[in-house]
Amino acid sequence: MQHQSVLENWLRGIALALIVLFFMFPIFWILLMSLQTNETILRSPPSMVFSPTLSNYQAIFAGRLDSNAASLDIRFLGNLWNSIILSVGSVGVALLFGVPAAYAFARYKFRGSEDIAFTLLSFRFAPPLLVLLPLTSYFQTLGIADTYFGLIWVYQLICLPLILWIVRGYFEDIPADVEHAYRIAGHGWFATFRNIALPLARPGIAAAGLLAFIFAWNNFIFALVLASADKQPVTVGALAFVTASGIQYGQIAAAVVLSIAPTLALALYAQRYLVEGLSLGAVKG
Amino acid sequence: MSVTAGLSVTSLSKSFKDLQVLDKVTFDVPKSETLVLFGPSGAGKTVLLRCIAGAVDADSGTVQIDGDDVTQVPPESRGVGMAFQNFALFPHMNAFENIASPLRAQRQPRLSLAETVDSVARLLKIDHVLDHAPRELSNGQKQRTALARALAAEPGLLLLDDPLRNVDAKLRFEMRLELPRLLADRQATVVYVTQDYKEAMALGDRIAVLDQGRIVQIGSAAAIYRRPANITIAKLFGDPVINLLEVVPEREKQAISVQVSNQQIMLPHAADDVIGRPCMLGIRPEDIAITAPDVPAAVPVSIEAETPLNEKIVSLAITQRGRELLASRPADVASPSAGAAGFLFNGDGVMLFDRESERRIDMQSDSGKKTA
């Protein structure tokens, strides 16, 4: 690494810059779009020069969508709130059940443990549409269609396997001796789980939680079928911008910016734990 | 078995899938004694220790600590202290919390807890690093922290799994001197696992040799060194390794003798039933004296090389039949360094092993001696 030439460093820098540009450009473009009116967005050829306007954001916060032809009520902020409830709720539930389950799968080899773990993973293989139809009818019978409870339950299909499998790997990476040592020191199995396994797997739990949150946040199909207007998350709510009189690109862009903001904030916050996880990798010391 | 046993293990067996790791292991450690479990890697020492601690469940057999059957008791209630080979420190707690963890389990009041941790840390000379995280400690400090953690709650039974394995040679030597005193002061029953025969001989009241999941010999260091049960044990103890020569004992007038390179070696204590049996003659390098080539009863050899080893000088010689022999002597004893010489075997040091079963053949002079 020491005798790397300057040229090599430059090329590496340029390559990295290109990759960053490639992945960041759509987000950057959306940000620009959210500050423009539909006319400037649709102008050809597109230009980066425009006078920025906050009218899109104003419309979203006011809850009224004014277009040339008509004005329409939207409840984007309500959708945003739904997204938060659904994502936080389902990740919370998934952590509550998934983390202890992951620990059990990692540490105790019981009859059929691999089969159960695999079955849970296989929920991720099945296309959601496959389960949606029967689910809709079940939910109506049970009376939990169109409730937060029912949606969070269905979201476990997304969150639980993810958390279970990621966190299980982290638990397995903790040397068994460290846990043995704590038990021999006189602590019961639950204290060992709480004081040794949980703190040492925390980076993994944070990563899995973050990932599950993003998946839950981005989910479209479950909410589209099972939720009515007042329970819809942003992904479904964004459909409202596709109106009979045209597509409100500016507002969609503003909505997108607003809806990625919470995930972005969460990712930045969780980054601390993710990095900590990398540096704590030398558990075997 | 006995009432005073600090630890007694009876017929303990354990297999992982098809691999039998422990095969009916039985032994006792009297209270306040140190037993060294010695054996090559893969012999099952660590698994045995874990079974005693309760971290691994045995398939069959029982473990008794101070007379109580603890086979079904979870590890946290067995009242043992254990130090692991890889230290197994809690990476997210500093050295103080690591050492304090057994005391916290006992819900010791904060003041006496800090005092106990401090005194055990001072004893092990790590009181200046108590606020360091494990990753900031040197290997030696980690090892001492692990040891301090095992000692902190003053357990009646202490299990030490090769605690000096991962520390450098200088520290290992230091600790080898320090540990026996430390353990004696504590009055604890100790099971000490090691792969290093010198450590085994230095630390244990008794040594149990474990090979392929079985206890092959239990005895004092001297007994195992002088009267190993079989060839494997004879080879494991001693550096340089014991000389082994294929021989067939024969009758020579009134006595029994073997031929080593045209020289008769008398076995005055051997019984008649060894005559004609294919055997291995074992002689430790330090039981061979180097003489002039023409000394009667000495095996004529030519010395090929000499190497210093620890405080000894090891001579590699070749007999007239082309077999290699090692002799060692204290470094300050002068001797011909090359060329023709004679190897004179010390009669008391000669061992005889059956070549087929590899077991040592008892010669009468041995059985007359008191076995420790």
Side-chain angles (χ1 to χ4, degrees), chain A residues 123-239:
Chain A
F123 291 164
R124 301 278 303 157
F125 304 160
L129 278 172
L130 198 74
V131 291
L132 265 174
L133 218 63
L135 264 183
T136 318
S137 97
Y138 284 156
F139 271 36
Q140 263 149 18
T141 319
L142 289 170
I144 53 172
D146 197 27
T147 59
Y148 288 129
F149 177 80
L151 279 169
I152 286 174
W153 192 347
V154 177
Y155 273 35
Q156 296 312 309
L157 281 177
I158 308 163
C159 297
L160 197 59
L162 206 67
I163 283 176
L164 190 82
W165 277 81
I166 294 178
V167 175
R168 177 191 182 178
Y170 273 81
F171 279 138
E172 278 170 350
D173 281 350
I174 300 174
D177 273 350
V178 172
E179 287 181 33
H180 288 157
Y182 200 67
R183 289 206 59 183
I184 291 167
H187 305 265
W189 69 266
F190 185 72
T192 307
F193 171 67
R194 194 187 53 209
N195 300 336
I196 301 293
L198 272 190
L200 291 182
R202 196 174 57 182
I205 295 171
L210 177 67
L211 216 57
F213 184 89
I214 292 170
F215 274 98
W217 187 274
N218 290 345
N219 182 267
F220 175 75
I221 193 80
F222 286 137
L224 176 72
V225 176
L226 291 172
S228 68
D230 62 328
K231 300 287 188 304
Q232 273 171 359
V234 278
T235 42
V236 181
L239 284 178

Side-chain angles (χ1 to χ4, degrees), chain A residues 8-180:
Chain A
E8 216 169 317
N9 270 332
W10 269 94
L11 287 176
R12 186 187 300 272
I14 290 169
L16 283 174
L18 280 175
I19 291 168
V20 169
L21 203 68
F22 179 79
F23 283 105
M24 292 310 286
F25 185 76
I27 295 172
F28 174 69
W29 196 248
I30 289 278
L31 191 68
L32 287 187
M33 272 169 74
S34 75
L35 298 172
Q36 303 176 52
T37 59
N38 240 8
E39 290 82 69
T40 49
I41 292 169
L42 293 174
R43 126 189 99 169
S44 180
S47 154
M48 302 251 286
V49 187
F50 60 90
S51 53
T53 163
L54 285 175
S55 64
N56 295 320
Y57 291 97
Q58 275 159 4
I60 282 172
F61 282 108
R64 283 195 68 76
L65 193 63
D66 295 307
S67 62
N68 322 339
S71 74
L72 179 74
D73 276 337
I74 49 161
R75 31 176 130 223
F76 184 77
L77 286 184
N79 292 337
L80 202 61
W81 182 237
N82 286 339
S83 273
I84 290 170
I85 289 178
L86 290 175
S87 304
V88 170
S90 32
V91 171
V93 170
L95 285 174
L96 197 66
F97 291 103
V99 171
Y103 184 69
F105 284 126
R107 279 288 177 256
Y108 302 97
K109 298 289 168 224
F110 45 92
R111 186 199 292 264
S113 61
E114 284 307 311
D115 300 328
I116 299 172
F118 185 78
T119 306
L120 285 167
L121 181 67
S122 71
F123 291 164
R124 301 278 303 157
F125 304 160
L129 278 172
L130 198 74
V131 291
L132 265 174
L133 218 63
L135 264 183
T136 318
S137 97
Y138 284 156
F139 271 36
Q140 263 149 18
T141 319
L142 289 170
I144 53 172
D146 197 27
T147 59
Y148 288 129
F149 177 80
L151 279 169
I152 286 174
W153 192 347
V154 177
Y155 273 35
Q156 296 312 309
L157 281 177
I158 308 163
C159 297
L160 197 59
L162 206 67
I163 283 176
L164 190 82
W165 277 81
I166 294 178
V167 175
R168 177 191 182 178
Y170 273 81
F171 279 138
E172 278 170 350
D173 281 350
I174 300 174
D177 273 350
V178 172
E179 287 181 33
H180 288 157

